[in-house]
Amino acid sequence: TRLVGSEMCIRDRQSFMGEFEASALIRLFTAVICGGIIGLERGLKGRPAGLKTFSLVCVGATLVMVTNEYISIKAGGSGDAARMAAQVVSGIGFLGAGTIIVTGANQVKGLTTAAALWVNAAVGIAIGSGFYFGAVSATILVCFSSEIFRAVDRVIIGNAAHMKICIEGMNEGFLVRLLEFFKERDIRVSSVIRTSEYKWYKKDICVIMELELKHRQSHNKLLKEIQELEGLRFVEEV
């Protein structure tokens, strides 16, 4: 009786482990797909972290959760199932920090990619926990909301009262004409920073200017008016 019972326990355990391994494989495969989809969206926009990075992060987070579950099973169901997940959430910060840069125009870039990496790790944790609905829903929402918010952002920022431009002129006289141009249109120049990083020619003058538009107007329209000024090399909003 003991021998039969022992054989049944071994058979049940082997069956359970087989199911667990199959489940782990499905989770890891799902992580590759979900992480790759989010990474593809970032990669198509030329961001520093793309398909490969996001896929690896998602698979890694999933594997951590699967391993955590495996350890819990080996320990007879004891242990904290959320401990390793907490380490993933806090540890993903170093990757996010690596995607954030400050350009010569004092413009911070990479915050969206860093946030997407953090969300991607959360998607991996959800997959590793077997919460497929949450992981797939988050993947779809991240991709669609990114496009929607980008369109809304263009409308809001394109007509905002605050504007920051990088502009290069042929000489100091151009800067004087530019300041007179803003004064005529009741546009307040709140900051002027000279920079050499964006210069095309050594003798040119290049500045980063922050503007306060008292009367709301399209930024694109204002840039076109600036382009008509004599002595301009280039101008762009930053």
mmCIF file of all heavy atoms in Angstrom, residues 12-38:
data_model
loop_
_atom_site.group_PDB
_atom_site.id
_atom_site.type_symbol
_atom_site.label_atom_id
_atom_site.label_comp_id
_atom_site.label_asym_id
_atom_site.label_seq_id
_atom_site.Cartn_x
_atom_site.Cartn_y
_atom_site.Cartn_z
ATOM 1 N N ASP A 12 1.999 11.978 -9.665
ATOM 2 C CA ASP A 12 1.269 13.238 -9.573
ATOM 3 C C ASP A 12 2.224 14.431 -9.624
ATOM 4 O O ASP A 12 1.933 15.444 -10.256
ATOM 5 C CB ASP A 12 0.452 13.302 -8.268
ATOM 6 C CG ASP A 12 -0.731 12.334 -8.288
ATOM 7 O OD1 ASP A 12 -1.106 11.913 -9.403
ATOM 8 O OD2 ASP A 12 -1.256 12.026 -7.212
ATOM 9 N N ARG A 13 3.355 14.273 -8.956
ATOM 10 C CA ARG A 13 4.332 15.359 -8.941
ATOM 11 C C ARG A 13 4.939 15.568 -10.323
ATOM 12 O O ARG A 13 5.129 16.703 -10.768
ATOM 13 C CB ARG A 13 5.437 15.058 -7.916
ATOM 14 C CG ARG A 13 6.450 16.204 -7.792
ATOM 15 C CD ARG A 13 7.393 15.988 -6.642
ATOM 16 N NE ARG A 13 8.342 17.083 -6.522
ATOM 17 C CZ ARG A 13 8.087 18.234 -5.967
ATOM 18 N NH1 ARG A 13 6.873 18.469 -5.468
ATOM 19 N NH2 ARG A 13 9.004 19.176 -5.891
ATOM 20 N N GLN A 14 5.237 14.461 -11.012
ATOM 21 C CA GLN A 14 5.779 14.563 -12.367
ATOM 22 C C GLN A 14 4.770 15.211 -13.306
ATOM 23 O O GLN A 14 5.130 16.022 -14.166
ATOM 24 C CB GLN A 14 6.172 13.176 -12.875
ATOM 25 C CG GLN A 14 7.403 12.598 -12.186
ATOM 26 C CD GLN A 14 7.711 11.183 -12.649
ATOM 27 O OE1 GLN A 14 6.841 10.492 -13.216
ATOM 28 N NE2 GLN A 14 8.935 10.733 -12.411
ATOM 29 N N SER A 15 3.499 14.832 -13.135
ATOM 30 C CA SER A 15 2.434 15.414 -13.958
ATOM 31 C C SER A 15 2.301 16.906 -13.695
ATOM 32 O O SER A 15 2.171 17.715 -14.620
ATOM 33 C CB SER A 15 1.103 14.718 -13.661
ATOM 34 O OG SER A 15 0.050 15.324 -14.387
ATOM 35 N N PHE A 16 2.371 17.265 -12.384
ATOM 36 C CA PHE A 16 2.257 18.673 -12.007
ATOM 37 C C PHE A 16 3.424 19.484 -12.564
ATOM 38 O O PHE A 16 3.246 20.583 -13.093
ATOM 39 C CB PHE A 16 2.206 18.812 -10.487
ATOM 40 C CG PHE A 16 2.168 20.236 -10.006
ATOM 41 C CD1 PHE A 16 0.981 20.953 -10.034
ATOM 42 C CD2 PHE A 16 3.326 20.868 -9.563
ATOM 43 C CE1 PHE A 16 0.935 22.272 -9.620
ATOM 44 C CE2 PHE A 16 3.287 22.184 -9.150
ATOM 45 C CZ PHE A 16 2.087 22.880 -9.166
ATOM 46 N N MET A 17 4.646 18.939 -12.461
ATOM 47 C CA MET A 17 5.825 19.639 -12.956
ATOM 48 C C MET A 17 5.782 19.790 -14.475
ATOM 49 O O MET A 17 6.220 20.778 -15.030
ATOM 50 C CB MET A 17 7.092 18.902 -12.531
ATOM 51 C CG MET A 17 7.400 19.005 -11.046
ATOM 52 S SD MET A 17 7.441 20.707 -10.434
ATOM 53 C CE MET A 17 8.813 21.363 -11.358
ATOM 54 N N GLY A 18 5.212 18.759 -15.147
ATOM 55 C CA GLY A 18 5.063 18.842 -16.597
ATOM 56 C C GLY A 18 4.124 19.975 -16.981
ATOM 57 O O GLY A 18 4.387 20.731 -17.922
ATOM 58 N N GLU A 19 3.019 20.099 -16.236
ATOM 59 C CA GLU A 19 2.076 21.186 -16.478
ATOM 60 C C GLU A 19 2.713 22.540 -16.174
ATOM 61 O O GLU A 19 2.487 23.522 -16.882
ATOM 62 C CB GLU A 19 0.828 20.986 -15.617
ATOM 63 C CG GLU A 19 -0.013 19.781 -16.015
ATOM 64 C CD GLU A 19 -1.192 19.568 -15.074
ATOM 65 O OE1 GLU A 19 -1.366 20.394 -14.141
ATOM 66 O OE2 GLU A 19 -1.948 18.598 -15.271
ATOM 67 N N PHE A 20 3.501 22.591 -15.109
ATOM 68 C CA PHE A 20 4.158 23.844 -14.727
ATOM 69 C C PHE A 20 5.155 24.283 -15.796
ATOM 70 O O PHE A 20 5.216 25.461 -16.156
ATOM 71 C CB PHE A 20 4.876 23.662 -13.385
ATOM 72 C CG PHE A 20 5.681 24.863 -12.963
ATOM 73 C CD1 PHE A 20 5.055 25.960 -12.392
ATOM 74 C CD2 PHE A 20 7.058 24.895 -13.164
ATOM 75 C CE1 PHE A 20 5.789 27.074 -12.018
ATOM 76 C CE2 PHE A 20 7.794 26.007 -12.790
ATOM 77 C CZ PHE A 20 7.154 27.094 -12.220
ATOM 78 N N GLU A 21 5.939 23.326 -16.317
ATOM 79 C CA GLU A 21 6.920 23.647 -17.355
ATOM 80 C C GLU A 21 6.232 24.121 -18.636
ATOM 81 O O GLU A 21 6.715 25.037 -19.303
ATOM 82 C CB GLU A 21 7.791 22.428 -17.630
ATOM 83 C CG GLU A 21 8.756 22.111 -16.486
ATOM 84 C CD GLU A 21 9.381 20.737 -16.607
ATOM 85 O OE1 GLU A 21 9.035 20.019 -17.578
ATOM 86 O OE2 GLU A 21 10.208 20.384 -15.754
ATOM 87 N N ALA A 22 5.107 23.490 -18.977
ATOM 88 C CA ALA A 22 4.346 23.909 -20.159
ATOM 89 C C ALA A 22 3.806 25.323 -19.964
ATOM 90 O O ALA A 22 3.858 26.159 -20.882
ATOM 91 C CB ALA A 22 3.200 22.938 -20.418
ATOM 92 N N SER A 23 3.302 25.589 -18.753
ATOM 93 C CA SER A 23 2.783 26.917 -18.430
ATOM 94 C C SER A 23 3.895 27.965 -18.479
ATOM 95 O O SER A 23 3.709 29.073 -18.988
ATOM 96 C CB SER A 23 2.146 26.907 -17.036
ATOM 97 O OG SER A 23 1.751 28.204 -16.647
ATOM 98 N N ALA A 24 5.081 27.599 -17.969
ATOM 99 C CA ALA A 24 6.222 28.521 -17.978
ATOM 100 C C ALA A 24 6.629 28.855 -19.405
ATOM 101 O O ALA A 24 6.946 30.015 -19.718
ATOM 102 C CB ALA A 24 7.392 27.908 -17.227
ATOM 103 N N LEU A 25 6.612 27.845 -20.284
ATOM 104 C CA LEU A 25 6.975 28.054 -21.683
ATOM 105 C C LEU A 25 5.999 29.005 -22.369
ATOM 106 O O LEU A 25 6.398 29.900 -23.123
ATOM 107 C CB LEU A 25 7.013 26.712 -22.417
ATOM 108 C CG LEU A 25 7.585 26.731 -23.844
ATOM 109 C CD1 LEU A 25 9.033 27.205 -23.829
ATOM 110 C CD2 LEU A 25 7.483 25.349 -24.471
ATOM 111 N N ILE A 26 4.710 28.816 -22.085
ATOM 112 C CA ILE A 26 3.676 29.688 -22.661
ATOM 113 C C ILE A 26 3.866 31.128 -22.172
ATOM 114 O O ILE A 26 3.757 32.083 -22.938
ATOM 115 C CB ILE A 26 2.271 29.179 -22.297
ATOM 116 C CG1 ILE A 26 1.997 27.836 -22.994
ATOM 117 C CG2 ILE A 26 1.198 30.199 -22.684
ATOM 118 C CD1 ILE A 26 0.721 27.153 -22.540
ATOM 119 N N ARG A 27 4.176 31.276 -20.890
ATOM 120 C CA ARG A 27 4.358 32.609 -20.315
ATOM 121 C C ARG A 27 5.562 33.321 -20.942
ATOM 122 O O ARG A 27 5.491 34.508 -21.282
ATOM 123 C CB ARG A 27 4.554 32.515 -18.800
ATOM 124 C CG ARG A 27 3.339 31.988 -18.063
ATOM 125 C CD ARG A 27 3.602 31.902 -16.564
ATOM 126 N NE ARG A 27 2.622 31.055 -15.909
ATOM 127 C CZ ARG A 27 2.574 30.845 -14.595
ATOM 128 N NH1 ARG A 27 3.467 31.409 -13.801
ATOM 129 N NH2 ARG A 27 1.652 30.061 -14.073
ATOM 130 N N LEU A 28 6.650 32.596 -21.091
ATOM 131 C CA LEU A 28 7.859 33.190 -21.671
ATOM 132 C C LEU A 28 7.633 33.569 -23.132
ATOM 133 O O LEU A 28 8.100 34.620 -23.592
ATOM 134 C CB LEU A 28 9.041 32.219 -21.558
ATOM 135 C CG LEU A 28 9.551 31.969 -20.132
ATOM 136 C CD1 LEU A 28 10.548 30.822 -20.125
ATOM 137 C CD2 LEU A 28 10.202 33.229 -19.568
ATOM 138 N N PHE A 29 6.920 32.735 -23.863
ATOM 139 C CA PHE A 29 6.616 33.019 -25.261
ATOM 140 C C PHE A 29 5.721 34.250 -25.368
ATOM 141 O O PHE A 29 5.916 35.102 -26.237
ATOM 142 C CB PHE A 29 5.935 31.801 -25.904
ATOM 143 C CG PHE A 29 5.658 31.969 -27.370
ATOM 144 C CD1 PHE A 29 6.683 31.931 -28.294
ATOM 145 C CD2 PHE A 29 4.359 32.175 -27.831
ATOM 146 C CE1 PHE A 29 6.431 32.085 -29.650
ATOM 147 C CE2 PHE A 29 4.094 32.333 -29.179
ATOM 148 C CZ PHE A 29 5.136 32.275 -30.087
ATOM 149 N N THR A 30 4.733 34.337 -24.469
ATOM 150 C CA THR A 30 3.846 35.508 -24.444
ATOM 151 C C THR A 30 4.629 36.772 -24.122
ATOM 152 O O THR A 30 4.373 37.844 -24.675
ATOM 153 C CB THR A 30 2.731 35.314 -23.395
ATOM 154 O OG1 THR A 30 2.026 34.090 -23.650
ATOM 155 C CG2 THR A 30 1.733 36.470 -23.436
ATOM 156 N N ALA A 31 5.615 36.643 -23.223
ATOM 157 C CA ALA A 31 6.451 37.790 -22.846
ATOM 158 C C ALA A 31 7.254 38.302 -24.034
ATOM 159 O O ALA A 31 7.416 39.513 -24.219
ATOM 160 C CB ALA A 31 7.386 37.396 -21.707
ATOM 161 N N VAL A 32 7.775 37.373 -24.840
ATOM 162 C CA VAL A 32 8.529 37.766 -26.043
ATOM 163 C C VAL A 32 7.646 38.597 -26.967
ATOM 164 O O VAL A 32 8.064 39.634 -27.498
ATOM 165 C CB VAL A 32 9.056 36.523 -26.792
ATOM 166 C CG1 VAL A 32 9.641 36.922 -28.138
ATOM 167 C CG2 VAL A 32 10.102 35.807 -25.967
ATOM 168 N N ILE A 33 6.399 38.153 -27.157
ATOM 169 C CA ILE A 33 5.473 38.841 -28.065
ATOM 170 C C ILE A 33 5.076 40.210 -27.521
ATOM 171 O O ILE A 33 5.190 41.234 -28.210
ATOM 172 C CB ILE A 33 4.212 37.985 -28.302
ATOM 173 C CG1 ILE A 33 4.594 36.684 -29.026
ATOM 174 C CG2 ILE A 33 3.177 38.756 -29.108
ATOM 175 C CD1 ILE A 33 3.459 35.704 -29.178
ATOM 176 N N CYS A 34 4.619 40.256 -26.253
ATOM 177 C CA CYS A 34 4.153 41.516 -25.657
ATOM 178 C C CYS A 34 5.295 42.529 -25.544
ATOM 179 O O CYS A 34 5.134 43.705 -25.884
ATOM 180 C CB CYS A 34 3.539 41.259 -24.284
ATOM 181 S SG CYS A 34 1.962 40.370 -24.340
ATOM 182 N N GLY A 35 6.449 42.064 -25.068
ATOM 183 C CA GLY A 35 7.598 42.962 -24.962
ATOM 184 C C GLY A 35 8.055 43.452 -26.317
ATOM 185 O O GLY A 35 8.410 44.626 -26.484
ATOM 186 N N GLY A 36 8.006 42.561 -27.315
ATOM 187 C CA GLY A 36 8.405 42.934 -28.667
ATOM 188 C C GLY A 36 7.481 43.959 -29.290
ATOM 189 O O GLY A 36 7.926 44.870 -29.993
ATOM 190 N N ILE A 37 6.177 43.844 -29.018
ATOM 191 C CA ILE A 37 5.196 44.792 -29.573
ATOM 192 C C ILE A 37 5.442 46.197 -29.027
ATOM 193 O O ILE A 37 5.475 47.174 -29.772
ATOM 194 C CB ILE A 37 3.756 44.338 -29.249
ATOM 195 C CG1 ILE A 37 3.408 43.079 -30.059
ATOM 196 C CG2 ILE A 37 2.748 45.443 -29.557
ATOM 197 C CD1 ILE A 37 2.086 42.447 -29.684
ATOM 198 N N ILE A 38 5.626 46.289 -27.706
ATOM 199 C CA ILE A 38 5.893 47.598 -27.097
ATOM 200 C C ILE A 38 7.229 48.151 -27.582
ATOM 201 O O ILE A 38 7.365 49.337 -27.889
ATOM 202 C CB ILE A 38 5.885 47.498 -25.558
ATOM 203 C CG1 ILE A 38 4.502 47.053 -25.058
ATOM 204 C CG2 ILE A 38 6.253 48.843 -24.926
ATOM 205 C CD1 ILE A 38 4.433 46.815 -23.558
#
